[in-house]
Amino acid sequence: MAVTQNLLDKTLRWYIFLATLILLIASPVFYFVTRQMYIHEANEHLKLRKKEFIRYHLPSLHQTDIALWNRYNRDEKILDRKGGSRKEKLRTVFYFDSLAHDYEPYRELNTPITIEGRPYVFSAKINLIEKEDLLQGTGLLFFVLITTMLIGLYFITKVLSIKLWKPFYIGLEHLEKFEVDKSASTRLSQTTINEFVRLNQVIENLIRKNTSIYNTQKEFIENAAHELQTPLAVIQGKLETLFQQSSLTQSQSEVLEKLNDAVARLSRLNKNLLLLSRIEHDQFSESENISVNDLLKKHYEFFSEQAAAKKIRITVESSPSVNVTANPVLTEVMINNLFLNAIRHNIEGGYISIQLKETGFAISNTGHHSALPEQKIFSRFSKINPSTQGSGLGLAIVKKIADLNRWEIRYAFKNNWHTFSVNFR
Amino acid sequence: MKVLLIEDERELANSIVNYLKGNDVICEWADTLESSLDKISSHTYDCILLDLSLPDGHGFEILKELKNKNATEGVIIISAKETLQTKIEGLNLGADDYLTKPFHISELLARVQALIRRKNFNGNNVVRFQEIEIDTLSKSVKVGHTQIDLTKKEMDLLLFMIGNQNGVLSKSTIAEHLSGDMADMLDNHDFVYAHIKNLKKKLHEAGCNDYIKTVYGLGYKWQ
């Protein structure tokens, strides 16, 4: 599976990527364009100064004035033309500045002129900003710009996006917490964003539909189980009437006994189904402080009788008084089911060990020499051994009861012992 | 012994009436609330078997009517409803016992007999069969003049078999009777054999005739 990220983190990551890209591409472009415009502007300026000189100063200038001119003009000099080009020339040159102790870049325009018949060069120059300064400036400018933009984006994403996406996260949380067998409100938060309104509607519909399907199914099971009771009673009654016939042959009797067993099994299954659906309908909500020792003792005789028929030996290790707050009927059912399973799935001449402590209840038994599939044993009708008489609901009921009380139920297989333990916490 | 059966399921009612008749219990049958109230107002019964869901009303109406009359009839509710709440409400309204459908009719008969014994406790809680005499109040059993010592289960078994003396009791029926509340959990009826064997032995040692007959493939019969 791919590594997952938060939606907002992912957005931010893209923002940072974009900002870096802009910084990398735009700053050199900006640098060159600025520099180009700057040099162009310097050229224009120099040409203007040249024009001014030629129009206003050159006509009245004498050879004797040149020294004086050069003395007081820093950036406009009149130089001898020693066989140099007769063409106007623009170039960038570096001059050493004795004050700054550094080479400074200049833009220089050399124009050939003639004063009183002699050839001279009019050289005008203008100080340029150093390249490093420009680079630094551009860099700084862009850095500040991008950083400001990123910080801005970060806060917009964090604050605005969180606000914008809030309904989404609420919906998500709602879905995560949703359990079909727990009734919860299907109302999600109000929002004015179209997509979220749609999303919420879909989620609400989905939840409502699922809950209603679940409820219908639950009711169906309860009604079906309930409606089956009466016909079952009729079948059992009729079977008993048949039993009383004195003219039954041996094979007929055997068929009857099998029928009787099947009906007993069916009614047991039905009762368990009813019990399960009643637990789901919260019909055992009232709880009280009960002694688990008493519950264990209550039917101990019954179970030891059942165990004796299979020559199973039982050892009990219990703390003197273990109390829990739970529904007494259900807790009894839970212990009985676990106890019965330990007998039912045991081997002839096997062992059962029961441990009751303040923290929990554990029952271990010998039996099959392999572990049971842990993820399957607590689901309905997952019978591991199809030959037994179990309804396939016993452990599902145990699990339901444990869940209802927030008790942890565990299965373990060690040294050929199957152990079910309930942690009262 | 006269019993009124209030039950709207015709087939079930037929089975119950026939079975009880076979065990010397006179059983009248009503299938609506109205006819039941009618019968109660004009006759007295030893026991009333009451189904709660009737076509024209709830069975609790009958319990209320009996309470108003200060009637002495014992009532056993026979219902498909098994919730604790219904049970408690029924018992609070004056019902004496509660049997959830489906049930064995032999079990129903045993409950009726036990209820009647409890109701007529002025001297009539002794069950007799030939040389056997059971005092259900002091829980003692005599064969002729010999007192025999039975466990609670064996005593229960003896009463159950004598009570259903004209019928065959299957192993599962006996097992469920002996296990009471735990009947739902049973899937092994082998322990019945041990109890029967012990009971037979104790009765035999006291010089009692062997009344427990094994009916092959079906169970046991008292005769």
Side-chain angles (χ1 to χ4, degrees):
Chain A
M1 214 178 99
V3 181
T4 57
Q5 288 178 315
N6 278 347
L7 185 70
L8 296 187
D9 288 352
K10 203 149 196 166
T11 323
L12 266 182
R13 206 160 286 214
W14 277 100
Y15 282 158
I16 291 170
F17 174 73
L18 184 71
T20 318
L21 200 72
I22 290 174
L23 188 70
L24 286 179
I25 293 174
S27 41
V29 171
F30 182 79
Y31 169 76
F32 284 111
V33 170
T34 316
R35 193 164 160 269
Q36 220 45 52
M37 279 170 64
Y38 183 54
I39 286 173
H40 180 75
E41 200 52 44
N43 292 350
E44 291 299 304
H45 183 70
L46 288 173
K47 279 176 190 160
L48 195 72
R49 274 175 35 199
K50 179 204 82 184
K51 262 184 204 159
E52 272 174 13
F53 175 78
I54 287 171
R55 182 169 300 173
Y56 302 119
H57 302 294
L58 193 60
S60 56
L61 209 64
H62 300 284
Q63 284 187 20
T64 47
D65 299 333
I66 290 172
L68 194 68
W69 173 275
N70 282 348
R71 191 168 163 192
Y72 290 106
N73 275 308
R74 181 182 178 270
D75 287 340
E76 290 173 14
K77 305 270 188 204
I78 297 164
L79 308 169
D80 285 336
R81 183 159 50 140
K82 297 169 197 127
S85 158
R86 297 182 57 76
K87 269 191 180 160
E88 201 176 70
K89 218 161 132 196
L90 262 171
R91 58 178 186 169
T92 303
V93 281
F94 288 86
Y95 289 102
F96 190 77
D97 189 327
S98 53
L99 283 175
H101 286 289
D102 198 5
Y103 284 94
E104 292 282 329
Y106 285 89
R107 193 70 182 162
E108 193 181 70
L109 175 68
N110 291 327
T111 315
I113 49 170
T114 316
I115 301 171
E116 295 173 336
R118 279 199 63 178
Y120 288 94
V121 172
F122 173 74
S123 172
K125 65 180 190 225
I126 186 166
N127 198 345
L128 292 178
I129 302 172
E130 273 183 80
K131 207 186 262 179
E132 297 91 73
D133 291 345
L134 185 64
L135 266 175
Q136 264 175 20
T138 318
L140 187 70
L141 178 76
F142 266 80
F143 183 73
V144 169
L145 203 72
I146 299 284
T147 316
T148 325
M149 196 170 80
L150 266 183
I151 293 172
L153 278 177
Y154 178 79
F155 280 106
I156 287 175
T157 318
K158 274 287 171 199
V159 177
L160 188 70
S161 296
I162 284 176
K163 209 176 150 192
L164 277 177
W165 284 90
K166 204 176 170 188
F168 174 76
Y169 284 106
I170 290 177
L172 194 67
E173 204 182 341
H174 203 88
L175 266 184
E176 277 171 344
K177 280 189 188 154
F178 174 68
E179 276 175 69
V180 77
D181 54 347
K182 304 254 158 65
S183 55
S185 84
T186 52
R187 295 302 306 166
L188 296 173
S189 66
Q190 294 295 318
T191 166
T192 49
I193 300 167
N194 268 336
E195 286 81 353
F196 290 145
V197 171
R198 272 169 57 200
L199 185 71
N200 282 355
Q201 269 170 358
V202 171
I203 293 176
E204 278 170 23
N205 279 339
L206 215 61
I207 288 179
R208 212 175 301 127
K209 212 180 265 176
N210 266 307
T211 317
S212 115
I213 288 172
Y214 178 76
N215 283 337
T216 319
Q217 195 209 0
K218 214 164 66 171
E219 261 161 46
F220 172 77
I221 293 173
E222 200 189 14
N223 288 341
H226 193 237
E227 290 302 317
L228 279 172
Q229 300 280 76
T230 307
L232 271 172
V234 174
I235 296 174
Q236 199 154 59
K238 292 291 165 198
L239 274 175
E240 239 165 323
T241 313
L242 260 184
F243 264 72
Q244 310 313 324
Q245 311 280 314
S246 49
S247 57
L248 287 175
T249 66
Q250 188 178 320
S251 60
Q252 282 170 335
S253 306
E254 275 164 13
V255 171
L256 271 184
E257 183 65 26
K258 291 275 179 295
L259 276 175
N260 201 40
D261 281 348
V263 171
R265 197 168 154 185
L266 192 59
S267 67
R268 212 157 44 225
L269 172 67
N270 210 38
K271 276 185 181 164
N272 277 333
L273 268 180
L274 267 177
L275 177 66
L276 202 56
S277 71
R278 281 219 302 275
I279 297 173
E280 282 170 358
H281 272 104
D282 270 340
Q283 288 184 14
F284 295 97
S285 46
E286 66 282 346
S287 53
E288 56 191 72
N289 196 32
I290 43 177
S291 158
V292 186
N293 303 72
D294 288 351
L295 289 184
L296 193 58
K297 258 180 240 148
K298 191 171 171 187
H299 298 295
Y300 187 77
E301 195 201 327
F302 169 79
F303 285 118
S304 41
E305 201 166 45
Q306 292 278 306
K310 271 178 106 170
K311 298 187 178 64
I312 295 167
R313 265 154 291 178
I314 307 174
T315 52
V316 182
E317 222 182 278
S318 80
S319 303
S321 71
V322 179
N323 290 295
V324 291
T325 305
N327 182 283
V329 179
L330 291 186
T331 313
E332 192 184 321
V333 168
M334 187 183 81
I335 289 175
N336 288 349
N337 280 1
L338 286 173
F339 208 155
L340 185 73
N341 272 348
I343 297 170
R344 184 184 280 156
H345 301 289
N346 218 319
I347 43 172
E348 195 85 18
Y351 295 89
I352 291 174
S353 151
I354 296 170
Q355 279 186 312
L356 180 60
K357 288 183 200 148
E358 277 78 8
T359 48
F361 171 79
I363 182 160
S364 312
N365 63 281
T366 50
H368 286 277
H369 295 303
S370 56
L372 305 171
E374 201 173 342
Q375 63 277 32
K376 263 176 74 185
I377 47 176
F378 290 115
S379 51
R380 297 175 191 190
F381 300 118
S382 67
K383 287 169 71 177
I384 314 300
N385 182 358
S387 67
T388 59
Q389 292 268 302
S391 63
L393 289 173
L395 282 177
I397 291 172
V398 167
K399 175 94 170 101
K400 259 262 139 62
I401 295 169
D403 285 350
L404 197 72
N405 288 299
R406 297 204 167 73
W407 294 336
E408 191 188 18
I409 178 141
R410 281 188 144 159
Y411 165 75
F413 179 72
K414 209 175 164 191
N415 301 332
N416 282 337
W417 283 79
H418 301 265
T419 304
F420 284 90
S421 52
V422 182
N423 188 352
F424 295 141
R425 245 173 270 184
Chain B
M1 219 191 290
K2 202 168 131 193
V3 169
L4 173 65
L5 170 65
I6 304 171
E7 164 68 63
D8 64 332
E9 184 66 40
R10 169 180 289 273
E11 286 307 317
L12 183 61
N14 265 337
S15 303
I16 295 174
V17 170
N18 285 334
Y19 191 93
L20 295 187
K21 227 180 247 168
N23 283 281
D24 303 322
V25 178
I26 302 156
C27 185
E28 286 186 21
W29 171 43
D31 61 352
T32 59
L33 187 65
E34 206 192 325
S35 57
S36 311
L37 290 171
D38 213 38
K39 278 192 152 66
I40 292 168
S41 64
S42 47
H43 301 91
T44 51
Y45 298 91
D46 294 306
C47 178
I48 294 172
L49 307 173
L50 175 64
D51 181 17
L52 290 182
S53 49
L54 296 169
D56 55 343
H58 200 277
F60 282 168
E61 295 301 319
I62 288 164
L63 288 176
K64 285 172 193 159
E65 177 61 27
L66 287 171
K67 219 174 188 178
N68 283 341
K69 274 178 52 179
N70 283 324
T72 54
E73 280 102 334
V75 179
I76 298 174
I77 295 176
I78 45 171
S79 171
K81 276 215 176 90
E82 210 207 349
T83 61
L84 199 62
Q85 212 182 338
T86 326
K87 257 182 202 176
I88 291 171
E89 206 180 335
L91 297 179
N92 279 344
L93 278 170
D96 299 275
D97 206 348
Y98 198 108
L99 199 54
T100 312
K101 283 180 193 170
F103 49 78
H104 291 282
I105 305 178
S106 40
E107 176 67 28
L108 180 65
L109 177 60
R111 301 261 188 129
V112 170
Q113 288 163 339
L115 177 59
I116 290 171
R117 278 199 299 273
R118 266 185 282 145
K119 284 272 168 190
N120 310 334
F121 56 86
N122 39 349
N124 196 9
N125 37 49
V126 177
V127 177
R128 279 193 191 84
F129 184 86
Q130 310 285 34
E131 67 267 40
I132 304 172
E133 199 179 287
I134 309 162
D135 188 332
T136 53
L137 208 66
S138 65
K139 314 258 178 220
S140 62
V141 183
K142 271 194 238 171
V143 174
H145 294 289
T146 325
Q147 183 93 23
I148 57 170
D149 193 22
L150 295 182
T151 64
K152 195 175 162 290
K153 283 264 161 72
E154 286 157 2
M155 170 105 157
D156 215 2
L157 179 61
L158 183 62
L159 272 174
F160 188 56
M161 295 201 77
I162 293 177
N164 285 282
Q165 53 186 274
N166 293 322
V168 177
L169 296 170
S170 71
K171 247 205 283 191
S172 61
T173 313
I174 296 172
E176 285 180 29
H177 175 76
L178 293 182
S179 316
D181 283 349
M182 298 299 286
D184 289 349
M185 311 229 77
L186 285 176
D187 48 28
N188 187 339
H189 305 138
D190 293 348
F191 71 99
V192 170
Y193 174 72
H195 285 303
I196 295 265
K197 204 175 76 180
N198 291 340
L199 180 62
K200 263 181 145 173
K201 201 175 136 205
K202 283 182 183 176
L203 289 174
H204 180 74
E205 280 168 0
C208 182
N209 286 321
D210 190 10
Y211 298 111
I212 302 173
K213 298 275 179 294
T214 305
V215 185
Y216 189 82
L218 279 184
Y220 303 94
K221 193 172 179 174
W222 185 272
Q223 59 185 186

